[in-house]
Amino acid sequence: RDPRVGQVLRGSVWALLGRKKSPKMSLLKEIEEKGATLAWSPLASMPNYVALGTKDSGAGGFDDYGGELEIHKLDFQDRGLKCSVAGSVKTTGKFSSIAWSPMSNFSSDFGSGLIAGGMNDGTINLWDPSKLISKHPSPQMSSFKHHGGPVAGLDFNPIAASNHLLASGGADGQVLIHNLDRPDTPKQPYVPAPDPGAAKHTAEVSRVAWNTLVPHILASASANGSCHVWDLRQKKSWCELRDAKKGAIADIAWNPIEGLQIVTAMGDDTNPVINMWDLRSSTTLPLAQLQGHTQGVLSMSWCPSDTSLLLSCGKDNHTFVWDLYERRPVYELQAETTASSAAGAGFGGFGMSAGRRYEVAWAPKQRAVLSTCSFDRKVQVHSMAGTRTHSGRAPKWLRKPCGASFGFGGKLVRFGDAANQAAPVTPGGVQVPRPLSVSSVVEDARVVQASVKFEEALAVKDYKALCEAKAAEAEAKPTAAGGLPGMHEASVWRFVQLVFEDSARSKLLLKLGFDAEKIAQEVEATKAEKKAAATEPAGDKAGVAEAPTTKSAEDFFGSEEAEGASASSPSGDGDGDADGDSSATEPPKATQAAAAEPAPAGAAAGAAGLATESQVVKKALLVGNFAAAVEGCFERGQYADALLLASCGGAELWETTRRRYFEKEAPKRPYLNIVAAIINSKLGELVSESDLGDWRQTLAILATYGKSEEFSALCEQLGARLELEAQDSPSASLCYLCAINVPKTVAIWVHELREQSARLGRTDSMALHALVEKVSVFTEGDEGTSIGELGADLSSLLSLYGALLANQGQMVTAAKYLASDDPHCALLRHRLFYAAQMDRTGAQPPPLPFQPLVVGVSPPKPSAEEAAHAAAYAAAAGGAAAVQPAAAAGGGAAQLPASRSAEAFAGAGTSAGGGAVVQPGGNRSTIGPEPVQLEAVDPQTGLPVGWIWQQDPASQRVYYVNTMSGVTQWDPPQPQPVARPTPAHAAPVPSPVSQPAPAAAPMPAPVSQPVPAAFPVAAPAPAPSAAAPVSSAPGLPKLDGFKSGPGKRSEKYVPPADGSAGAEPGAPNLAALPAEVAPIKPALEDLQGKLAVMCAAPAEKKQLIEAGKAAAVLLAKLATPGAVNPEVAA
């Protein structure tokens, strides 16, 4: 044929498919000058071996009747196209078919399986591939002939237990089963249906194929369009699949994973289709047909790696890869054409057959690899890896055999487990998706265990026991979880424990190491030692002068000798030691020596001076001048006497004397500074001047002598000095803890954790948990402070802790610590609420952490016909009806024909009832139907006023809700005619919302005139009198101060001046409001008018309607006599 015709045909096929040509497959290997049939190795140990049986004579000429069997090893590591011959053997005949069995039952004897060749003369030869590869001189096992013509069909049973069964079909129409359990001495074959009169082929058998799942089911196809499915167990034909056109079946193939699905390829040029059969549904009509070839199909192969792919080649020189889900070719393997063949060169145009393939096959053990055999005597091996097809799905070999992904809340989702490797198949042949397994993964078991234990302890609310247990736990470890020494961590927990103690300050002394009982025992022990020393023999104290005894006040004032004694010993008891120091009773040795020597003359003069001072003190006391007496004692150095005398001279003298005493004695005895601070209530000065190295002693003084109202401030002052001056943050935290200063204490704990994280380069989970424990317990003791109020640093750490617990599956516990309002914490709290399914418990959901954007289905716009119909109503009503604007109607309403408009006009008049039409402002009356007034249409929604649209969450359909009546419906609501009662006065005219319009003048009654027969009119109703109240029309909603009809429902209805028109029977007269409450009415009306301008959304309008009703109820209440207490009204 003309090559241009072929090109046009190929272009037409792809034009019909609507696809562009895809990139070529990768050509892996090529065997030239070999017109052969091919069989892939079914062994997993030899996946890249193929067996070739030659089909032609090659260059041998007419006298060459023999063939050759070759085994090729395809080395895919080598990028070259050539492959090596692993073994070969000459045959006496040419191959018509070839098959390779793994011989699983006899693997010990046949390590490489068994190769069977169907020859053109009807002979079947058997070879041992192992002997061929090892160059054995006699690789052939046996040879037998049972067919009278070429053996076109040859296939080994794929079931492992039946690999030794070989099925063959010949040109004589016979199908035979060969038992090759002993290939060297094969048994006599048998037919599938031996009974007389059993079904059999009447034409040559083209193909045989074993079922891939059921070992006793075999299919065979013949050239007359018949395909038998044989049941070897029942020894009969299970069914027969026939082509309606009786075309030749070129090839058949079973679904590799579904035993009830089979495809048949038609080799007839008039019907080049591939029929897909499902034996459960029908055996007379195929399930589907694959159409794409323009001439008969020659060969096909069902992909074992992905059963959605089918490979076929045909006489039309097309090789297609089919997607069985889409039932169309998704890739074409282009045939190689030379320049001469493309030009149509060759004898009779035979160049067109160059590259045409007659056999295709997928590799059973190599994914994405296929082989082709062509008439130009080439065997090619291609790879689909990297090939872009037109399918929307990736091939199965590119899909992940297994996978796992971590989800929120410590969840692990995985597929492809060992237990789920084999995916079940439904009876319809559809492979069921592999099941997913969802499990929880705990990465940090220590944190989970510690968190569970801590939450259980918190639930008990025994905080003192919890603190004691934590302190004992910290003491047992050299380094606590926070990276600090274990003893300090234990001190922290013991100080936290004080928050829950009844007598915390007394127990604080114990925590600081000051035990009152032990101190008392030490004092008693000291006294006992002194007493023992005083009872020693006198000889032990020889040479030691006795210390002068301290004189009492009575002795001082009772004798003159005391003056001399005082004068002779001026420093006898003038030191005034308050605590009985040894310096007060034992004078220095120099003084003793001076007393032993004779006093010089100057000393006598000094003694006389002291005697004079003593007289001065005495005289000052006699006259009651305690200040002078105290001064004299200070001059003599008798500080104890000065303090004693000052206690009698009043508070001012006492304070002055005490201050002078501390100023003189404190430098010699430092502990007096403490005494001074305690007595003078100047603990703040003590704290500011104390030695920070003895901060525990200072804290003990504050705990013992500090007032309750100043204790916290003093502890904070001490903590600040430790933090700023001594850079001792751990000790400062204990002081802040005693002050119950939660923010500063927590700030130091957070800083310690940050420092440890900086050293480690990460945040230690146990250290973070230890911080959360301390903060949680500490804040439990301070009811005025919550965790969420302790700063951004702690909030970020708590968010990190919550995320850590959530990742371990502790989602409920994690939500407890997310109290901050920062965006990250809010997002995590929102995710935890729904991930932990707290919404099912009825708990209040947290606020959304993001701005919601409602994306829904917009309300359907009215069609052009509906819009035109509404326009006709409006025209019939004389323009009084409010018609939806063109923009809301979807670009303008199309005009109806005149006949349709007339029908609509007539229908409107008939439905509303006939009557005389009164033209406002004129004296003429027109005979015709009464104008129809339609409900107003909201320009925002395109719906009648009072209607809104919603979206059904289940079906995603839009439905409509009447906010006034509660009616819901699926169909869009249409503006309905509004029946208006005949008023006694002119209808009120709408006015601006803020200003009421004046009442219109009464109009004359309509004049009765004859009505044409075409417009039947009911008898006009008599006009009610001016005094009679006019009731609302039936079926209309209650007005309550707002009008219904044209315009927005938010426009305010202005009643007549007398307040009677439009009122319901029995309603109170709002015009007769008491004077004291009358100003309320205009104020409410003005407020409603302003709100009407602002409200735009349907929900706001609904609320405005409800507000109007409430205002009407209030005014009615105020207008009812006696309904309002006069005191309230006043």
Side-chain angles (χ1 to χ4, degrees):
R1 298 180 181 180
D2 190 347
R4 291 172 296 180
V5 177
Q7 294 177 1
V8 171
L9 289 175
R10 286 196 295 272
S12 301
V13 171
W14 284 108
L16 291 174
L17 295 175
R19 301 293 184 181
K20 296 181 180 180
K21 296 180 181 179
S22 301
K24 291 184 178 180
M25 287 188 185
S26 301
L27 179 60
L28 301 180
K29 297 295 177 182
E30 185 178 54
I31 304 173
E32 296 180 341
E33 298 300 326
K34 191 66 63 177
T37 180
L38 180 144
W40 281 90
S41 168
L43 299 168
S45 59
M46 303 172 61
N48 54 343
Y49 282 78
V50 293
L52 300 179
T54 58
K55 294 174 68 73
D56 55 18
S57 59
F62 294 106
D63 295 332
D64 186 4
Y65 296 97
E68 186 177 9
L69 172 64
E70 294 181 350
I71 296 179
H72 290 257
K73 181 179 181 182
L74 309 178
D75 186 6
F76 297 122
Q77 301 294 331
D78 182 9
R79 295 190 177 183
L81 297 180
K82 303 298 182 181
C83 55
S84 60
V85 179
S88 63
V89 63
K90 294 291 184 177
T91 62
T92 57
K94 295 181 178 63
F95 283 81
S96 181
S97 58
I98 191 172
W100 194 335
S101 171
M103 297 295 285
S104 302
N105 290 350
F106 309 94
S107 57
S108 58
D109 299 330
F110 304 95
S112 300
L114 188 67
I115 296 177
M119 317 308 288
N120 286 342
D121 60 356
T123 304
I124 297 178
N125 297 325
L126 303 178
W127 291 274
D128 186 348
S130 300
K131 295 181 178 181
L132 274 173
I133 297 174
S134 62
K135 313 300 182 184
H136 193 278
S138 302
Q140 185 170 351
M141 301 292 296
S142 61
S143 177
F144 48 88
K145 182 178 180 180
H146 300 286
H147 289 284
V151 183
L154 201 64
D155 190 28
F156 277 105
N157 197 311
I159 308 301
S162 304
N163 288 157
H164 61 284
L165 296 180
L166 175 67
S168 63
D172 54 359
Q174 287 190 347
V175 177
L176 300 178
I177 310 300
H178 308 271
N179 188 348
L180 303 179
D181 53 355
R182 300 188 62 180
D184 52 347
T185 56
K187 300 177 181 179
Q188 188 69 20
Y190 59 92
V191 296
D195 296 338
K200 59 181 61 178
H201 289 290
T202 58
E204 62 177 294
V205 177
S206 56
R207 286 290 187 273
V208 293
W210 289 95
N211 191 286
T212 54
L213 296 182
V214 184
H216 60 273
I217 299 297
L218 174 69
S220 61
S222 64
N224 63 354
S226 172
C227 177
H228 281 282
V229 178
W230 306 96
D231 187 346
L232 303 185
R233 182 176 296 175
Q234 300 294 330
K235 297 181 180 181
K236 64 180 181 179
S237 175
W238 190 84
C239 71
E240 182 182 5
L241 309 176
R242 299 195 62 87
D243 180 57
K245 297 182 179 181
K246 296 183 179 182
I249 299 179
D251 203 354
I252 57 176
W254 290 93
N255 189 326
I257 62 172
E258 171 55 53
L260 291 173
Q261 291 180 350
I262 188 173
V263 292
T264 58
M266 308 307 296
D268 188 4
D269 292 346
T270 62
N271 187 31
V273 298
I274 300 176
N275 293 321
M276 302 178 61
W277 302 83
D278 191 326
L279 303 183
R280 289 161 299 195
S281 59
S282 175
T283 59
T284 57
L285 292 175
L287 183 67
Q289 281 188 342
L290 305 180
Q291 298 180 356
H293 288 283
T294 58
Q295 294 180 1
V297 182
L298 295 177
S299 175
M300 67 178 179
S301 177
W302 207 323
C303 181
S305 302
D306 188 351
T307 56
S308 66
L309 299 179
L310 184 72
L311 182 64
S312 69
C313 64
K315 301 176 186 177
D316 54 359
N317 206 12
H318 288 303
T319 302
F320 290 137
V321 177
W322 300 79
D323 188 332
L324 298 184
Y325 286 106
E326 301 180 11
R327 291 184 295 180
R328 64 184 180 89
V330 294
Y331 183 82
E332 180 182 6
L333 181 58
Q334 297 290 338
E336 295 183 356
T337 57
T338 62
S340 60
S341 64
F347 178 72
F350 286 122
M352 283 298 298
S353 64
R356 183 182 300 176
R357 302 179 179 94
Y358 58 84
E359 184 177 309
V360 292
W362 291 97
K365 300 299 180 182
Q366 295 279 1
R367 294 182 299 180
V369 176
L370 57 93
S371 64
T372 61
C373 302
S374 58
F375 287 109
D376 57 356
R377 308 185 71 248
K378 287 183 180 180
V379 177
Q380 295 178 332
V381 178
H382 302 266
S383 173
M384 281 194 65
T387 303
R388 180 172 57 88
T389 68
H390 299 300
S391 175
R393 298 174 300 103
K396 189 175 180 181
W397 58 77
L398 293 181
R399 303 172 199 167
K400 297 178 180 179
C402 60
S405 177
F406 284 98
F408 183 73
K411 300 297 183 182
L412 176 64
V413 183
R414 64 185 188 274
F415 68 92
D417 302 37
N420 299 329
Q421 285 293 340
V425 179
T426 62
V430 180
Q431 189 170 0
V432 177
R434 288 173 291 180
L436 297 176
S437 58
V438 182
S439 59
S440 298
V441 177
V442 178
E443 300 178 75
D444 199 336
R446 294 190 307 162
V447 170
V448 174
Q449 183 179 1
S451 174
V452 172
K453 184 178 179 181
F454 178 65
E455 295 300 326
E456 292 176 353
L458 286 181
V460 179
K461 294 183 183 268
D462 189 358
Y463 301 113
K464 291 191 290 184
L466 174 60
C467 295
E468 186 64 31
K470 288 293 178 182
E473 181 181 345
E475 289 176 349
K477 299 179 181 179
T479 303
L484 297 173
M487 294 306 298
H488 170 73
E489 193 72 8
S491 299
V492 170
W493 278 110
R494 297 198 187 280
F495 273 58
V496 174
Q497 185 181 4
L498 295 174
V499 179
F500 306 97
E501 296 286 355
D502 296 332
S503 55
R505 291 173 63 176
S506 61
K507 294 185 179 180
L508 175 60
L509 296 175
L510 294 176
K511 309 298 183 184
L512 293 172
F514 300 101
D515 190 347
E517 296 182 359
K518 291 183 178 180
I519 294 175
Q521 293 176 1
E522 291 177 359
V523 172
E524 293 296 332
T526 303
K527 288 183 178 180
E529 292 177 359
K530 288 186 176 181
K531 185 176 181 181
T535 57
E536 292 181 0
D540 296 339
K541 300 182 180 180
V544 180
E546 293 184 3
T549 59
T550 303
K551 304 295 183 179
S552 65
E554 184 179 356
D555 296 336
F556 180 80
F557 292 109
S559 63
E560 294 291 336
E561 293 78 2
E563 298 177 7
S566 299
S568 60
S569 57
S571 60
D573 57 349
D575 55 0
D577 195 348
D579 61 348
D581 192 25
S582 60
S583 61
T585 58
E586 297 180 4
K589 295 182 179 179
T591 305
Q592 299 176 13
E597 297 179 358
L610 293 174
T612 302
E613 293 176 2
S614 178
Q615 289 294 330
V616 172
V617 173
K618 181 176 180 181
K619 291 177 181 180
L621 291 175
L622 292 176
V623 297
N625 191 348
F626 288 97
V630 169
E631 188 66 28
C633 291
F634 269 101
E635 291 296 331
R636 296 181 61 197
Q638 297 177 342
Y639 303 135
D641 294 340
L643 290 172
L644 184 61
L645 294 175
S647 63
C648 302
E652 183 178 357
L653 179 61
W654 166 253
E655 291 294 334
T656 305
T657 304
R658 188 172 59 184
R659 183 175 63 255
R660 291 180 63 185
Y661 170 75
F662 287 124
E663 290 176 354
K664 289 182 176 292
E665 291 297 311
K668 296 184 292 183
R669 289 177 284 183
Y671 71 89
L672 290 180
N673 289 326
I674 300 175
V675 178
I678 295 172
I679 294 177
N680 296 326
S681 298
K682 294 183 178 180
L683 294 179
E685 296 180 2
L686 173 66
V687 172
S688 61
E689 299 173 358
S690 62
D691 182 10
L692 295 180
D694 294 332
W695 68 270
R696 289 180 176 269
Q697 177 180 331
T698 305
L699 185 58
I701 293 172
L702 300 180
T704 305
Y705 300 103
K707 298 179 181 178
S708 299
E709 60 272 13
E710 63 180 6
F711 177 72
S712 297
L714 293 173
C715 290
E716 289 184 18
Q717 182 182 355
L718 179 59
R721 287 195 62 202
L722 288 170
E723 185 178 7
L724 301 177
E725 299 177 19
Q727 302 296 321
D728 188 0
S729 296
S731 300
S733 67
L734 297 179
C735 297
Y736 290 141
L737 203 153
C738 293
I740 316 297
N741 191 326
V742 179
K744 289 188 176 181
T745 306
V746 172
I748 292 179
W749 291 344
V750 170
H751 180 68
E752 292 172 352
L753 180 61
R754 297 287 190 192
E755 287 184 342
Q756 186 208 16
S757 301
R759 291 193 303 269
L760 296 177
R762 59 179 178 85
T763 301
D764 184 66
S765 58
M766 290 303 297
L768 180 60
H769 174 73
L771 171 67
V772 173
E773 285 183 335
K774 291 185 291 188
V775 173
S776 300
V777 177
F778 191 23
T779 52
E780 286 289 341
D782 185 14
E783 298 180 356
T785 304
S786 62
I787 295 181
E789 302 173 356
L790 298 180
D793 286 344
L794 180 63
S795 296
S796 63
L797 290 176
L798 289 177
S799 299
L800 181 62
Y801 181 71
L804 175 64
L805 290 182
N807 290 333
Q808 311 305 316
Q810 305 293 318
M811 290 183 286
V812 177
T813 306
K816 171 183 174 183
Y817 296 98
L818 302 176
S820 176
D821 293 331
D822 62 277
H824 176 72
C825 192
L827 179 60
L828 184 59
R829 183 166 54 245
H830 186 266
R831 293 187 67 186
L832 283 173
F833 180 82
Y834 292 99
Q837 299 182 353
M838 300 182 193
D839 53 330
R840 299 186 179 183
T841 63
Q844 184 69 22
L848 293 176
F850 38 76
Q851 183 66 27
L853 178 62
V854 179
V855 180
V857 181
S858 60
K861 298 179 181 179
S863 62
E865 183 179 357
E866 294 172 344
H869 193 59
Y873 270 113
V883 183
Q884 183 179 354
Q895 296 294 330
L896 287 178
S899 59
R900 178 66 184 272
S901 300
E903 293 173 3
F905 180 81
T910 304
S911 60
V917 179
V918 180
Q919 300 291 344
N923 297 325
R924 293 182 304 166
S925 298
T926 302
I927 303 301
E930 186 179 5
V932 177
Q933 181 173 331
L934 303 179
E935 291 181 332
V937 177
D938 191 342
Q940 299 291 334
T941 61
L943 300 174
V945 173
W947 286 86
I948 60 174
W949 65 273
Q950 298 288 344
Q951 188 172 8
D952 183 25
S955 63
Q956 303 300 318
R957 291 181 59 189
V958 174
Y959 66 96
Y960 303 89
V961 181
N962 190 323
T963 58
M964 304 191 66
S965 62
V967 175
T968 60
Q969 63 186 42
W970 292 108
D971 298 328
Q974 300 297 332
Q976 299 297 323
V978 178
R980 302 178 61 186
T982 304
H985 302 283
V989 180
S991 62
V993 293
S994 58
Q995 298 293 335
M1003 297 186 63
V1007 180
S1008 178
Q1009 294 186 7
V1011 179
F1015 301 97
V1017 180
S1025 61
V1030 181
S1031 61
S1032 301
L1036 292 178
K1038 185 178 179 181
L1039 297 180
D1040 289 335
F1042 291 87
K1043 70 175 184 177
S1044 174
K1048 296 182 179 179
R1049 195 171 282 278
S1050 58
E1051 294 179 359
K1052 191 165 70 68
Y1053 174 76
V1054 182
D1058 58 357
S1060 59
E1064 295 185 0
N1069 188 359
L1070 299 182
L1073 288 174
E1076 59 271 14
V1077 296
I1080 297 179
K1081 179 181 178 183
L1084 287 175
E1085 293 174 350
D1086 183 63
L1087 177 60
Q1088 294 171 12
K1090 292 179 179 179
L1091 291 176
V1093 178
M1094 299 170 57
C1095 296
E1100 295 176 346
K1101 294 179 181 180
K1102 180 180 178 180
Q1103 294 176 356
L1104 183 60
I1105 294 173
E1106 298 298 328
K1109 294 179 180 180
V1113 172
L1114 175 61
L1115 293 177
K1117 189 77 172 178
L1118 295 176
T1120 303
V1124 180
N1125 193 329
E1127 297 180 358
V1128 176

